[in-house]
Amino acid sequence: MLILSVEFYKGSVDMQKKISSIPFKGTPEQETELKKFIEENKHDKSRLMAVMQAAQEIYGYLPMEVQMMIADGMDVPLEKVFGVATFYAQFALSPKGEYNISVCLGTACYVKGAQAVLDKISEILGIGVDECTPDGKFSLQACRCIGACGLGPVMMINDEVFGKLTPDAIPGILAKFNA
Ligand code: FES
């Protein structure tokens, strides 16, 4: 039984990853699949990470509603689920947008100014890393080397690679995606 309200919960944690404000759109089929997996694993609390990984595969990220289902089903505190979700980089608290932007922060890109590129995108879209715009259109991620170091700084928007980036080039690129 969960006794912690989400509102209290949101305000109680100093979060590096922000909880998405995008409305949760889970389907009954997804819920059935997750609950089945929880049922198979709830006897062993050390399976919490495995359940969270399964949940992320099912939903694509771990919204608060899903974390609550996991906490309830595994009979662990919601804080514990949230703590794991925020600690491990593999877990996402926001969905991917229609356009997912991955800025490479690998060494070669970083020394050529990738952080300034990332900051510019963040400024224009009004979101930080691992967040999604409220309309679900853009999400922003930092990634490791994608093997195009000679073109650095580079970013990908879905499958398209953009290289030799500067902060000044970003508005024009994003405008093509109606940002
Ligand atoms: S470091 Fe960015 S592509 Fe290799």
Side-chain angles (χ1 to χ4, degrees), residues 130-152:
D130 292 327
E131 291 178 30
C132 186
T133 52
D135 61 1
K137 192 160 180 182
F138 294 96
S139 50
L140 179 58
Q141 293 182 315
C143 66
R144 296 184 182 184
C145 180
I146 59 169
C149 311
L151 292 176

Side-chain angles (χ1 to χ4, degrees), residues 108-109 112 147-154 164:
C109 287
K112 290 183 204 160
C149 311
L151 292 176
V154 300
K164 304 268 185 202

Side-chain angles (χ1 to χ4, degrees), residues 12-153:
S12 67
V13 187
D14 180 18
M15 293 168 285
Q16 267 200 312
K17 294 185 194 177
K18 284 196 195 152
I19 295 172
S20 173
S21 60
I22 295 174
F24 176 55
K25 292 190 199 139
T27 66
E29 291 76 21
Q30 287 173 316
E31 186 170 335
T32 301
E33 194 180 344
L34 176 58
K35 287 194 166 159
K36 182 168 177 281
F37 196 82
I38 290 173
E39 194 60 34
E40 291 164 0
N41 290 276
K42 69 179 186 186
H43 59 281
D44 182 358
K45 290 192 177 20
S46 72
R47 297 283 296 156
L48 178 61
M49 286 271 289
V51 169
M52 292 174 67
Q53 276 161 351
Q56 181 153 287
E57 276 169 34
I58 293 167
Y59 290 95
Y61 72 117
L62 296 176
M64 189 52 62
E65 291 80 355
V66 170
Q67 291 184 47
M68 290 170 84
M69 261 190 265
I70 294 170
D72 212 12
M74 295 295 287
D75 195 23
V76 296
L78 185 54
E79 295 98 319
K80 166 108 179 158
V81 178
F82 186 75
V84 172
T86 49
F87 184 78
Y88 292 97
Q90 71 201 79
F91 294 119
L93 298 189
S94 292
K96 289 229 169 86
E98 181 187 349
Y99 299 110
N100 184 49
I101 304 172
S102 296
V103 179
C104 175
L105 289 186
T107 306
C109 287
Y110 192 82
V111 298
K112 290 183 204 160
Q115 185 65 52
V117 169
L118 179 62
D119 291 345
K120 187 70 184 177
I121 298 168
S122 182
E123 178 195 319
I124 292 172
L125 297 180
I127 55 172
V129 171
D130 292 327
E131 291 178 30
C132 186
T133 52
D135 61 1
K137 192 160 180 182
F138 294 96
S139 50
L140 179 58
Q141 293 182 315
C143 66
R144 296 184 182 184
C145 180
I146 59 169
C149 311
L151 292 176

